Amino acid sequence: MTSADPVTTAGEQDKGGLRVALGGLTTRGRSFFAAGIAAAVCAYVLGQSDLLRVGLLLAVLPLVCVAVLYRTRYRVAGSRRLTPSRVPAGSEARVHLRMDNVSRLPTGLLMLQDHVPYVLGPRPRFVLDRVEAGGRREVSYRVRSDLRGRYPLGPLQLRLSDPFGMCELTRSFSAYDTLTVIPRTEALPSVRLAGEASGYGDGRQRSLSLAGEDDVIPRGYRHGDDLRRVHWRSTARYGELMVRREEQPQRARCTVLLDTRRVAYQGAGPDSAFEWAVSGAASALVHMLERGFAVRLLTDTGSSVPGEGADGFAGATQESADSAGLMMDTLAVVDHSPGEGLFPSYDVLRRGTEGLLIGFFGDLDDEQAGVVARMRQRSGAAVAFVLDSEGWTQSPPAQGQSDERLRLLREAGWTAFAVPAGASLPDLWRQAARERSESGVTGPTASGGWS
């Protein structure tokens, strides 16, 4: 909940002074004042005293309303509560507004107006008839956006009006809130690929020591250790019982690579190829985190999220929900990059064994297809979803070139798919598992899996 300091509506708090108050005259107030002046002039010219009285009444009434409203001492406090503060694109969030009268006088007619971006809907307005001393009023409205992003809500404005509607004064609170619209995600099926090592189903793997007995790193004996693992040479050396540390639990890793190059996509809007790729990356991230994998989001620029440690993986030091929230916040505002190549991300991937690699790519020319093919060398398993943006914009795609680049990726060990417009990611996910199972593809390293 975001709250604001109480706003005092007395004249001494009005920075613009009486001139600003006069500027708050409504169309009705200005009309009354102009009619009164005109009637007074006509009465003077024609010598009609009765008409002069009417003119003075019409001209003075708006001024009296301005003076009364200007000197009114209302102290009101406003607060805003956003539930939830992070929503998927196309879903609704509700904004709750509360006004508290912290003065000793009841208020008059109050009009509330909250500033929202146009993509979230029309600007909400509410009318509060009267708030007693110490009382409160609560109202709410809904916001919705089909476009992901971060949208500011506020400031909340309070309009004061006199009973005759002659004058309106506006006071603004200073508090803002932010609504984060994240990409849509789809629930992906739990599938397994042939050739994966045991333990990948729950996102765990074990790295077995292949060194000789002299190279084993021992540790002190702990209650419950198998006596068959006692390392007698180290025991004699250190003077205490030592055991071989042959197995070391390690979290399976997964890297989700998102191609954001502007030259790789055509079209814009919620149904564009780029938005499908962002939504697909979000779905894959959530799915792998739920399976216990250490997950990293990587873009074509080489930047990774979250930046936990040197490798950027969301590991045991972070809760899955926090990691997912951080990545979703990043995907909510990700935009096209000006780069034209995938070399920065390739440089990051070739530094170490990356485990499972899931890539969402736009258009690939021959050079970039070769770069993607080389990314496979350091991963245990690799799946590529290649979006032909010409097909998404209803232009006839160059089918021959697309097939040739997919063939190049498959020969390098990728399980690669061309993604047509409106494709279902869960269906492609099942198809990837089925194709790898039928082909019996296994990775060159025991560092990746599919779940």
Side-chain angles (χ1 to χ4, degrees):
M1 176 183 293
T2 300
S3 59
D5 295 333
V7 172
T8 302
T9 63
E12 60 186 8
Q13 298 292 332
D14 189 355
K15 297 181 181 180
L18 187 58
R19 181 179 300 178
V20 175
L22 290 173
L25 283 172
T26 62
T27 302
R28 179 185 300 178
R30 295 175 187 272
S31 300
F32 267 65
F33 184 75
I37 296 298
V41 172
C42 293
Y44 176 77
V45 173
L46 299 176
Q48 298 290 329
S49 59
D50 293 338
L51 182 59
L52 179 61
R53 297 188 186 95
V54 173
L56 292 177
L57 176 63
L58 293 176
V60 169
L61 180 59
L63 300 179
V64 172
C65 293
V66 168
V68 171
L69 194 61
Y70 176 70
R71 298 304 304 173
T72 301
R73 289 181 174 271
Y74 296 148
R75 297 190 72 244
V76 292
S79 62
R80 183 190 300 104
R81 180 166 51 90
L82 182 60
T83 54
S85 60
R86 182 190 292 124
V87 296
S91 300
E92 290 184 344
R94 183 168 289 275
V95 183
H96 302 268
L97 303 177
R98 192 180 79 180
M99 299 300 300
D100 294 274
N101 183 9
V102 296
S103 66
R104 298 180 180 180
L105 298 175
T107 68
L109 186 66
L110 301 179
M111 289 182 287
L112 296 181
Q113 177 177 277
D114 207 7
H115 283 263
V116 300
Y118 72 94
V119 296
L120 298 182
R123 182 171 296 179
R125 293 181 175 89
F126 305 93
V127 177
L128 305 181
D129 188 14
R130 182 179 181 273
V131 182
E132 65 278 6
R136 69 175 56 173
R137 296 290 185 273
E138 294 185 4
V139 293
S140 65
Y141 63 94
R142 294 176 295 180
V143 290
R144 178 181 181 274
S145 174
D146 292 326
L147 300 175
R148 57 187 176 81
R150 301 189 69 186
Y151 302 102
L153 301 178
L156 180 63
Q157 286 187 337
L158 178 65
R159 288 188 177 183
L160 306 173
S161 178
D162 65 278
F164 301 102
M166 298 289 181
C167 182
E168 288 184 357
L169 295 182
T170 301
R171 300 291 184 272
S172 295
F173 295 93
S174 59
Y176 286 83
D177 277 288
T178 300
L179 174 67
T180 303
V181 181
I182 62 176
R184 296 185 182 94
T185 58
E186 297 182 272
L188 301 181
S190 298
V191 294
R192 297 174 67 93
L193 295 185
E196 62 186 15
S198 62
Y200 289 155
D202 59 357
R204 300 285 179 178
Q205 66 182 34
R206 293 188 178 272
S207 177
L208 300 179
S209 173
L210 301 180
E213 184 174 335
D214 292 339
D215 297 328
V216 172
I217 301 176
R219 62 169 175 81
Y221 175 82
R222 298 172 185 169
H223 179 72
D225 285 339
D226 191 346
L227 292 178
R228 290 174 295 182
R229 295 174 55 194
V230 173
H231 192 256
W232 298 109
R233 182 172 299 181
S234 298
T235 299
R237 179 183 304 172
Y238 294 106
E240 61 177 319
L241 203 59
M242 306 292 291
V243 296
R244 292 187 298 270
R245 186 161 47 189
E246 295 178 346
E247 298 187 17
Q248 184 176 1
Q250 184 180 356
R251 290 169 63 91
R253 289 182 172 184
C254 173
T255 297
V256 178
L257 174 59
L258 175 62
D259 180 9
T260 65
R261 296 172 299 138
R262 185 178 300 277
V263 297
Y265 299 94
Q266 299 180 18
D271 298 326
S272 64
F274 180 66
E275 292 302 323
W276 192 97
V278 174
S279 178
S283 301
L285 287 168
V286 172
H287 178 78
M288 302 312 295
L289 280 172
E290 290 176 349
R291 298 305 181 271
F293 277 66
V295 182
R296 173 174 61 179
L297 171 63
L298 183 66
T299 66
D300 58 290
T301 61
S303 60
S304 60
V305 177
E308 179 77 11
D311 54 7
F313 284 89
T317 58
Q318 288 181 305
E319 296 293 337
S320 295
D322 296 337
S323 301
L326 180 59
M327 294 181 188
M328 287 299 165
D329 289 345
T330 302
L331 289 176
V333 296
V334 70
D335 201 358
H336 291 291
S337 67
E340 298 184 358
L342 296 166
F343 294 102
S345 56
Y346 170 69
D347 290 338
V348 174
L349 291 172
R350 71 177 181 177
R351 296 173 187 169
T353 301
E354 300 301 324
L356 176 62
L357 176 59
I358 305 173
F360 294 86
F361 302 99
D363 291 332
L364 298 174
D365 55 22
D366 293 337
E367 181 182 10
Q368 300 309 315
V371 174
V372 174
R374 294 196 298 272
M375 292 179 181
R376 173 65 178 83
Q377 299 172 0
R378 304 291 300 198
S379 62
V383 181
F385 302 96
V386 183
L387 290 83
D388 191 342
S389 60
E390 291 185 355
W392 284 73
T393 56
Q394 299 181 353
S395 301
Q399 191 65 31
Q401 294 183 0
S402 177
D403 291 344
E404 178 64 22
R405 288 157 190 165
L406 288 177
R407 183 187 63 80
L408 176 63
L409 297 185
R410 289 165 181 163
E411 289 179 351
W414 285 85
T415 303
F417 299 94
V419 181
S424 170
L425 182 59
D427 293 341
L428 294 175
W429 199 263
R430 294 187 186 93
Q431 185 179 353
R434 185 166 55 251
E435 289 194 8
R436 289 187 62 86
S437 178
E438 292 173 355
S439 61
V441 176
T442 59
T445 64
S447 60
W450 182 275
S451 175

